[in-house]
Amino acid sequence: MSPVSDSTNRVIPGPQETEEKIYHPSDGLFTDAHVPDFDAYLAIYKKSTEEPEEFWADVAQEFYWKKPPSGQMLQYNFDVNKGNIYIKFMEGAKTNICYNVLDRNVHERNLGEKVAYYWEGNSPTHHQTITYIQLLRSVCRCANALKLLGVKKGDRVAIYLPMIPELVYTMLACARIGAVHSIVFAGFSSESLCERIMDAQCNILVTADGVYRGDKLINLKKIASEALERCKESMDLCVQKCVVVRHHAFRTNSDASNKLQTPWDESCDIWWDDLMEGVSDECEPEWMDSEDPLFILYTSGSTGKPKGVVHTVTGYMLYTSLTFKYVFDYHHDDVYWCTADIGWITGHSYITYGPLANSATSVLFEGVPVYPHVGRLWEIIEKYGVSKFYTAPTAIRLLMKYGREPLQRFDLSSLRVLGTVGEPINPEAWLWYYDVVGQQRCPVIDTFWQTETGGHVLTPLPAATPLKPGSATCPFFGVQPAILNEHGEELEGEAEGYLVFRKPWPGIMRGVYGNQERFESTYFRKFPGFYVTGDGCRRDKDGYYWITGRIDDMLNVSGHLLSTAEVEAALTEHPSVAEAAVVSRPHTVKGECLYCFVTLKDHKEFNRTLMEELKRKVREKIGPIATPDFIQNAPGLPKTRSGKIMRRVLRQIARNEKDLGDLSTLADPKVVEVLFSQRCEAAA
Ligand code: WT7
């Protein structure tokens, strides 16, 4: 390994310089690695792309099939000029993902007593160990209970839960009976929840009475009830029953539960415990076709309306399982911890399905990194002896601010592999993760992927891939990236442009729920024949890929995608606002943050109260992650003569970039000067 200075405030080398510095995985750390070196990676990769039928048939052997795959492995069309876009993988085979990730571990591999999850609550006094057999029983009980409520194969179940074991039980119970889960991150607002429930026409909502995030109490049931109220107002109350988990934190603590004021509707609401009473803990799985839907997960779209990304059973199962095994170089004695929330794709793929398919032991963490102290994550790593750790650049940047001291109090020697996901990781954060957390022993695995890709698509492998800080390195097995220019021409060798994929891999999304047109226009229309990620990308002389960030009207706040359009829509709902334009601005911890320009209606005053109201509006409509950092009063916006807002100019104003280039297409160039002179220096 190359030596690295251990000062945390060193001068950051530019990407070109950093690119020259290559970190080779430690010798000796990976004597039994699944992929021992780069040549081995290249050989497996070659097989995966040149003989995909054989490659995936081998992977499929690891799973239980009610009806084994036969016939064509993959059928697809990526070219809008040749008809509808579709992807079918091992169609006709029958299996059940819940059976594969639970029953097989218990009954075939004899791992019933192995720990599936160490649940660690928000409060360090709350924790629970869940073995595979216990997990299987709880899931079956929940599956039977859902059936009692009338849930059948193909029905949609909305899940709005914090990171508690019941979240895992419910999602796997859905998978077991063939119901389609639609998990909504429990930090979303009632409006966001309502929109997602109606879009998927969910019959059932599963939520909790409340939750503590750090020391903040959240009345989850109240938000859920407001969401259902909203559905009713839209004359679209599809939800018939709302199942409510009584959170551990409120079971014994009457003080806390008094603060909750759980609203209750006798005709709809039912306590989880009451529903589960006397229900059997055995449940025959529903045998699903490979291409039956497994879940819907909403992700922001550039039009402002979220898209329900649909994943299906077999492709997703094989892909999350295989990526988990190789990308974390998983071995049976590992203790694995992904700090994401299951409400995002990272949690679906790499807390629930991927790890369980590999019989892994994981930490399931409900809390936040800095509660009750800034060393909480390190404390948990020591407590459970975590060997594989997966988190987001935003968390790393947050924890970097507290220096080394909080880490020095804990023993982190169990760590072997450090993963990151969510946004490009800046070299400074990469090096800190590598030096300070991994003590220069552990490779940093920068995994690039999306809700749509189902699993990792560009990623190093721990023992095999020489690392370059800030690069997601090379494609995973079966993945074929390409870089295109604006005209759709493919660029070879060193190049920068649009990141696309030329063929499906098993885990790719199958559609946008109820909206084939949007599926095609978002991902396939711009460059016929390719799946378009929406990210910019550079390939260096060694063939390594470097994600440069979004190239559509999306921004990435703390690893979560938001569209500028959805924030603008929230702002313009305020009665004083005539027009709004939102751009991203770099942020030291969140990566990017929201900078909003608002034009007020005549005679309306721009003041602190209005700013607070605007922030509240966005929080209510979308959720706290979308809270604007900057709001600037804009008497006018820079527009072309045809009335199109020039976001490039606004972005430069937000970032204080003085060289504005060609402004000749603007209808009124003077507006730029005014905006520049009044730009916000400090956050609102
Ligand atoms: C977008 C997808 C995949 C789980 C979390 C986010 C950005 C994600 C990386 C990475 C650079 C990354 C991209 C992507 N992104 N991982 N390692 N390096 N950028 O899922 O909400 O669907 O967001 O996150 O811009 O398109 P998501």
Side-chain angles (χ1 to χ4, degrees):
M1 283 277 182
S2 324
V4 197
S5 136
D6 58 16
S7 133
T8 50
N9 49 13
R10 77 174 74 77
V11 181
I12 327 287
Q16 293 300 329
E17 265 179 70
T18 315
E19 193 185 310
E20 297 314 310
K21 199 162 204 172
I22 296 180
Y23 293 74
H24 294 276
S26 326
D27 294 333
L29 191 59
F30 299 104
T31 46
D32 53 355
H34 298 306
V35 184
D37 52 45
F38 200 67
D39 285 341
Y41 157 74
L42 288 175
I44 305 176
Y45 180 75
K46 188 163 186 275
K47 167 144 189 182
S48 74
T49 53
E50 290 178 4
E51 296 164 72
E53 303 264 343
E54 265 179 52
F55 181 86
W56 293 110
D58 283 351
V59 176
Q61 299 256 317
E62 299 279 309
F63 294 85
Y64 174 83
W65 301 94
K66 190 70 183 174
K67 179 166 178 273
S70 62
Q72 253 184 307
M73 182 200 64
L74 174 70
Q75 295 158 280
Y76 77 101
N77 173 37
F78 262 17
D79 188 344
V80 280
N81 299 323
K82 293 187 180 153
N84 287 349
I85 302 296
Y86 66 91
I87 301 110
K88 290 173 180 173
F89 183 79
M90 299 189 170
E91 199 186 26
K94 284 199 185 300
T95 187
N96 181 289
I97 191 170
C98 176
Y99 183 89
N100 272 287
V101 306
L102 295 183
D103 304 57
R104 237 174 10 124
N105 285 322
V106 173
H107 300 304
E108 290 173 28
R109 297 178 178 160
N110 224 351
L111 294 174
E113 301 307 321
K114 186 173 180 185
V115 174
Y117 292 109
Y118 291 114
W119 180 72
E120 175 80 13
N122 178 68
S123 156
T125 56
H126 293 161
H127 41 80
Q128 187 186 342
T129 297
I130 303 161
T131 62
Y132 272 91
I133 179 91
Q134 289 168 333
L135 182 58
L136 173 62
R137 289 190 186 128
S138 299
V139 167
C140 287
R141 203 173 295 123
C142 180
N144 286 326
L146 289 176
K147 282 204 221 167
L148 283 178
L149 296 181
V151 179
K152 307 177 302 298
K153 177 178 172 182
D155 288 354
R156 277 82 52 219
V157 173
I159 306 177
Y160 186 66
L161 282 173
M163 286 284 286
I164 51 178
E166 286 81 355
L167 172 51
V168 180
Y169 304 158
T170 311
M171 70 194 293
L172 290 172
C174 288
R176 191 167 191 90
I177 63 175
V180 177
H181 56 73
S182 170
I183 303 182
V184 180
F185 170 58
F188 274 120
S189 66
S190 60
E191 230 181 297
S192 296
L193 175 59
C194 163
E195 186 178 20
R196 286 159 174 75
I197 288 175
M198 291 195 306
D199 187 78
Q201 288 288 296
C202 300
N203 312 124
I204 302 285
L205 170 63
V206 182
T207 188
D209 48 358
V211 61
Y212 277 99
R213 212 166 277 138
D215 50 18
K216 195 164 168 258
L217 173 69
I218 295 150
N219 284 298
L220 219 52
K221 174 62 167 72
K222 189 157 164 268
I223 304 171
S225 299
E226 282 164 11
L228 296 183
E229 207 46 51
R230 273 177 185 282
C231 296
K232 215 181 277 173
E233 280 163 21
S234 310
M235 311 291 276
D236 196 4
L237 185 62
C238 40
V239 168
Q240 282 140 21
K241 283 286 171 201
C242 175
V243 182
V244 187
V245 178
R246 196 190 290 281
H247 191 289
H248 203 84
F250 310 108
R251 280 177 193 262
T252 46
N253 185 341
S254 57
D255 253 13
S257 57
N258 285 342
K259 284 196 214 126
L260 270 182
Q261 328 144 309
T262 308
W264 203 259
D265 172 355
E266 286 299 340
S267 66
C268 173
D269 297 336
I270 177 163
W271 286 108
W272 170 285
D273 290 339
D274 294 344
L275 181 65
M276 300 299 153
E277 209 174 286
V279 172
S280 157
D281 61 7
E282 281 176 33
C283 173
E284 173 68 11
E286 181 79 33
W287 299 106
M288 307 288 284
D289 188 275
S290 282
E291 285 301 335
D292 280 334
L294 172 63
F295 66 82
I296 302 169
L297 182 58
Y298 286 84
T299 183
S300 290
S302 52
T303 63
K305 190 177 153 35
K307 306 179 289 267
V309 169
V310 177
H311 284 283
T312 55
V313 175
T314 291
Y316 181 81
M317 175 171 83
L318 266 53
Y319 200 70
T320 53
S321 172
L322 195 75
T323 45
F324 178 79
K325 173 176 167 185
Y326 284 99
V327 171
F328 300 108
D329 194 45
Y330 172 73
H331 286 82
H332 67 91
D333 52 352
D334 273 326
V335 176
Y336 162 84
W337 181 18
C338 166
T339 66
D341 193 290
I342 290 178
W344 309 107
I345 191 70
T346 308
H348 281 59
S349 301
Y350 300 114
I351 296 179
T352 305
Y353 293 108
L356 294 177
N358 286 275
S359 335
T361 296
S362 302
V363 175
L364 181 65
F365 178 48
E366 184 191 34
V368 295
V370 292
Y371 176 85
H373 57 82
V374 301
R376 183 80 193 274
L377 300 189
W378 322 126
E379 181 178 46
I380 295 173
I381 290 174
E382 177 186 280
K383 177 173 175 187
Y384 297 108
V386 171
S387 53
K388 310 284 162 81
F389 180 64
Y390 193 26
T391 194
T394 185
I396 299 167
R397 289 191 299 262
L398 171 74
L399 295 166
M400 266 169 82
K401 296 206 298 191
Y402 302 102
R404 285 168 177 256
E405 193 277 327
L407 291 96
Q408 284 161 345
R409 282 186 277 136
F410 301 99
D411 178 5
L412 306 184
S413 62
S414 57
L415 288 172
R416 291 281 176 279
V417 172
L418 301 173
T420 118
V421 60
E423 56 178 306
I425 181 165
N426 48 311
E428 188 191 14
W430 194 102
L431 290 169
W432 190 83
Y433 200 25
Y434 176 75
D435 285 348
V436 180
V437 182
Q439 293 147 4
Q440 304 184 9
R441 255 184 311 112
C442 312
V444 171
I445 304 299
D446 177 359
T447 61
F448 167 83
W449 58 298
Q450 310 178 296
T451 304
E452 294 86 341
T453 69
H456 309 133
V457 283
L458 300 178
T459 178
L461 302 180
T465 315
L467 304 168
K468 301 185 186 192
S471 171
T473 75
C474 303
F476 188 73
F477 307 141
V479 173
Q480 301 185 37
I483 296 181
L484 307 183
N485 66 14
E486 186 59 53
H487 311 294
E489 292 153 357
E490 201 173 331
L491 305 174
E492 305 289 339
E494 269 185 271
E496 183 163 346
Y498 292 84
L499 176 67
V500 300
F501 294 104
R502 63 172 92 251
K503 273 184 91 171
W505 56 94
I508 191 177
M509 71 187 291
R510 300 302 197 260
V512 170
Y513 189 76
N515 202 337
Q516 176 72 12
E517 160 55 29
R518 200 156 175 221
F519 176 48
E520 300 192 353
S521 62
T522 310
Y523 306 103
F524 296 95
R525 201 148 291 155
K526 192 173 174 71
F527 299 123
F530 297 96
Y531 166 84
V532 180
T533 59
D535 285 291
C537 184
R538 182 166 68 82
R539 188 169 43 221
D540 70 15
K541 60 181 188 320
D542 299 322
Y544 275 44
Y545 291 86
W546 300 71
I547 304 295
T548 54
R550 300 295 303 185
I551 37 188
D552 47 15
D553 288 330
M554 304 288 286
L555 69 168
N556 193 319
V557 179
S558 301
H560 303 303
L561 280 190
L562 291 170
S563 77
T564 53
E566 67 184 321
V567 182
E568 286 162 5
L571 292 169
T572 45
E573 269 193 13
H574 190 284
S576 300
V577 174
E579 200 172 16
V582 174
V583 296
S584 88
R585 175 183 151 135
H587 186 280
T588 50
V589 173
K590 302 187 210 176
E592 291 182 83
C593 69
L594 294 156
Y595 192 113
C596 310
F597 295 87
V598 295
T599 305
L600 300 185
K601 290 182 183 157
D602 283 350
H603 313 302
K604 297 289 180 191
E605 199 195 333
F606 189 87
N607 54 27
R608 195 126 284 280
T609 322
L610 177 76
M611 283 228 260
E612 287 311 317
E613 284 171 11
L614 291 174
K615 286 203 211 167
R616 187 162 2 109
K617 194 90 205 162
V618 178
R619 270 198 299 269
E620 277 169 14
K621 270 207 76 103
I622 307 171
I625 48 166
T627 308
D629 279 55
F630 299 89
I631 304 180
Q632 179 174 349
N633 184 14
L637 292 169
K639 290 186 184 168
T640 61
R641 283 180 195 89
S642 62
K644 194 169 183 300
I645 296 174
M646 286 188 68
R647 283 166 201 285
R648 168 182 70 83
V649 174
L650 292 176
R651 218 172 289 132
Q652 287 173 303
I653 295 169
R655 295 167 188 215
N656 203 11
E657 292 167 4
K658 298 244 162 60
D659 182 14
L660 291 175
D662 182 12
L663 297 178
S664 61
T665 51
L666 281 183
D668 175 14
K670 272 202 297 297
V671 87
V672 176
E673 249 168 77
V674 176
L675 291 180
F676 228 114
S677 68
Q678 297 174 1
R679 62 181 292 283
C680 309
E681 295 289 345

